[in-house]
Amino acid sequence: MTTMPPAPEVTGRPSAGDRPWAAVLALARFEARELLLNIPVLVLLVLYLGYSLYGLVTAEQDGMTDYPVLQNADRASQTAPQLVALAVLLCVNHAVLRSRRHGTDRQFDVLPVQPWRRTLAHALSAVPFAGLVAVVVGAEFAWAASKPGAVGHGSFFELAVAPLSVLLAGVVGALLARLIHSAFAAPLFVVGLYVLLAVFSIPSSGSDPHWLHWLSPVVPESGGDPLPSDLLGRPAAWHALYLVGLTVALLCGAVAASGQRTRTVAVATAVALTATVAGIAGQSPGDARDLAAARATASIRPEEVQSCSVRGTVTYCAFPEWSGRTADWAGVVERVQQLAGGRRDRLTVRQRLEARYGLTSDAALTPLTGPGQVTVGTAWGGNRVPEFAVGVASVLVAGDEEAASAVCDARAVTIMWLALAAQPDPVSAFVHVRLDDRTEGSGFVLAPTDPLGMSAGETAMVRALLDRPGEAVAAAVRDHWAELTSPKTSLTRVAQLLDVKAPEKEDSRDACEA
């Protein structure tokens, strides 16, 4: 009778072999595929890609982004990818908890891949999604930069925020799963984080808490007109360092929570925390005095930092990054001048902005008092073109912007016809420059500075003029320029001069009294 030797006793965890990191990468690839098959990730990823594609298509239609400002285009890429980050956080957390839900934790204990390596693999499964976001962000920015009307300078660090936030979300999902073994932890964390960020974004004592504001993964700061890149004052590089350090520190925390508490992990944690603290310190101070002074100069005395060029009788002054856009402004000015009988008044088109209140301020510009001075903003394309035409026509008719802002008489008819007839689609432009988006009744017309008031009768006369041949109206404007630009000329007389039906009553004051 033969006896079998006793089976050797298992005294330790099976070896992962000579290539333990290959197993981690293989598991990360598998988990990435599993993430892609999760409904939240798939739906929000498709939604993000569709939104990006839709933005490119509609931009070509409305013309608002035919002239992008690149220091705004890089920040605009940060918000939409948070949909992907949200889905990655929830689904990575769900994947890490899979073994606990299915009761297979004990079976995993006999596998050669240790728990901390599995945690690392789950965190790395977010890398392909961060890479996809980086590709989309880069493509959007490259598309904007390739347009002939693009101005300004983008920032690599601003573009890096979106993919870094997706990586951070994957690490947070893995860490939460290792600390709290509940499927409700991640959704509650997301809700709590949203409430926390909403509270920090509320102004306190007239200003945002700057250092808390920048602890958010994404700080888009949008709403105001574009500023020159040297006036942004955004600590983009420090913020990117903060995100990298925070991601690595939380990853080390997830690895340590999985049982890997070695000296290497401790050193990596210390380095990551140092980088995080350095990033927080670098991004925490508010606007420096030099930046505030530069913003004040650009807002109050822009001529000190602008370069000017002369085209005919018109001088165009712009901030350095916008110097290539003067040809577009000149095209509008020349068309309005031609409709005004080929007038060659000496004009100064000056680019202006209000930078003293930061990037989110949408403060109105006050009218210029100098004769022949016309304001143009830093945004261009779409509705900004007919609005600028209104400003040019107002100065040609009234003499200066301050006088034009007080126009409340029949001169509004001449101003509006000059501005609208210079547009490719005058009726559509009329709709877009009106504050109420209507071409009937009284209302206000947008301009680079103060809006222009129009009465119901003036509105009807402008519509009638747009239906007439432009050459005939231009000839009448040229022949009767003195009367048409006089504040004493009645609305009825203007109708006679331009050969359109006069309103039943003189109502040129009702827009001013609205």
Side-chain angles (χ1 to χ4, degrees), residues 52 54 60 79-80 125 147 155 176 226 235 239 279 287 311 320 337 348 400 412 445 483 489 495-496 501 504 506:
S52 300
Y54 175 78
E60 294 298 325
T79 303
S125 68
K147 294 185 177 181
S155 167
L176 285 175
H239 190 64
D287 297 337
R311 291 171 177 259
Q337 287 179 323
T348 298
D400 61 71
V445 175
E483 278 192 89
T489 304
Q496 294 173 351
K501 182 180 178 181
E504 297 180 357
E506 287 282 334

Side-chain angles (χ1 to χ4, degrees), residues 86 186-202 212 216:
L86 172 63
L188 290 176
F189 173 81
V190 171
V191 173
L193 181 63
Y194 175 81
V195 172
L196 195 64
L197 294 177
V199 170
F200 285 158
S201 66
I202 298 175
L212 289 176
S216 171

Side-chain angles (χ1 to χ4, degrees), residues 242-326:
Y242 159 69
L243 290 179
V244 171
L246 182 61
T247 300
V248 176
L250 294 181
L251 179 60
C252 291
V255 168
S258 301
Q260 184 71 356
R261 299 180 179 90
T262 63
R263 178 175 298 178
T264 301
V265 174
V267 171
T269 303
V271 173
L273 288 176
T274 301
T276 304
V277 172
I280 294 175
Q283 70 185 13
S284 293
D287 297 337
R289 290 184 178 180
D290 292 345
L291 176 62
R295 286 179 172 179
T297 299
S299 303
I300 303 172
R301 301 181 302 278
E303 64 276 4
E304 296 182 9
V305 292
Q306 290 181 340
S307 58
C308 298
S309 60
V310 179
R311 291 171 177 259
T313 60
V314 183
T315 302
Y316 297 89
C317 298
F319 294 102
E321 290 174 315
W322 277 265
S323 59
R325 194 163 286 175
T326 55

Side-chain angles (χ1 to χ4, degrees), residues 181-450:
H181 302 152
S182 171
F184 296 101
L188 290 176
F189 173 81
V190 171
V191 173
L193 181 63
Y194 175 81
V195 172
L196 195 64
L197 294 177
V199 170
F200 285 158
S201 66
I202 298 175
S204 175
S205 301
S207 61
D208 289 344
H210 187 275
W211 71 275
L212 289 176
H213 188 56
W214 277 88
L215 291 182
S216 171
V218 175
V219 189
E221 287 190 320
S222 59
D225 285 334
L227 301 185
S229 54
D230 58 347
L231 299 183
L232 295 181
R234 285 176 58 86
W238 290 112
H239 190 64
L241 177 63
Y242 159 69
L243 290 179
V244 171
L246 182 61
T247 300
V248 176
L250 294 181
L251 179 60
C252 291
V255 168
S258 301
Q260 184 71 356
R261 299 180 179 90
T262 63
R263 178 175 298 178
T264 301
V265 174
V267 171
T269 303
V271 173
L273 288 176
T274 301
T276 304
V277 172
I280 294 175
Q283 70 185 13
S284 293
D287 297 337
R289 290 184 178 180
D290 292 345
L291 176 62
R295 286 179 172 179
T297 299
S299 303
I300 303 172
R301 301 181 302 278
E303 64 276 4
E304 296 182 9
V305 292
Q306 290 181 340
S307 58
C308 298
S309 60
V310 179
R311 291 171 177 259
T313 60
V314 183
T315 302
Y316 297 89
C317 298
F319 294 102
E321 290 174 315
W322 277 265
S323 59
R325 194 163 286 175
T326 55
D328 299 300
W329 303 338
V332 176
V333 173
E334 290 167 4
R335 288 195 297 271
V336 174
Q337 287 179 323
Q338 188 64 31
L339 292 170
R343 299 188 62 83
R344 289 295 179 261
D345 302 45
R346 291 198 171 277
L347 302 177
T348 298
V349 175
R350 185 170 300 283
Q351 191 175 42
R352 299 174 62 206
L353 51 78
E354 180 50 80
R356 289 173 292 179
Y357 309 110
L359 280 69
T360 59
S361 173
D362 193 20
L365 298 173
T366 57
L368 294 170
T369 57
Q373 294 197 61
V374 183
T375 294
V376 63
T378 53
W380 188 249
N383 298 345
R384 297 296 179 267
V385 178
E387 289 173 14
F388 174 62
V390 171
V392 175
S394 298
V395 171
L396 285 178
V397 170
D400 61 71
E401 287 188 342
E402 187 176 43
S405 65
V407 168
C408 200
D409 48 58
R411 288 178 294 172
V413 174
T414 304
I415 291 172
M416 289 307 300
W417 181 83
L418 290 173
L420 297 175
Q423 307 306 312
D425 187 349
V427 176
S428 177
F430 197 7
V431 173
H432 291 124
V433 297
R434 282 274 294 231
L435 193 59
D436 55 3
D437 295 329
R438 298 168 63 237
T439 58
E440 58 184 15
S442 61
F444 290 93
V445 175
L446 297 174
T449 56
D450 288 345

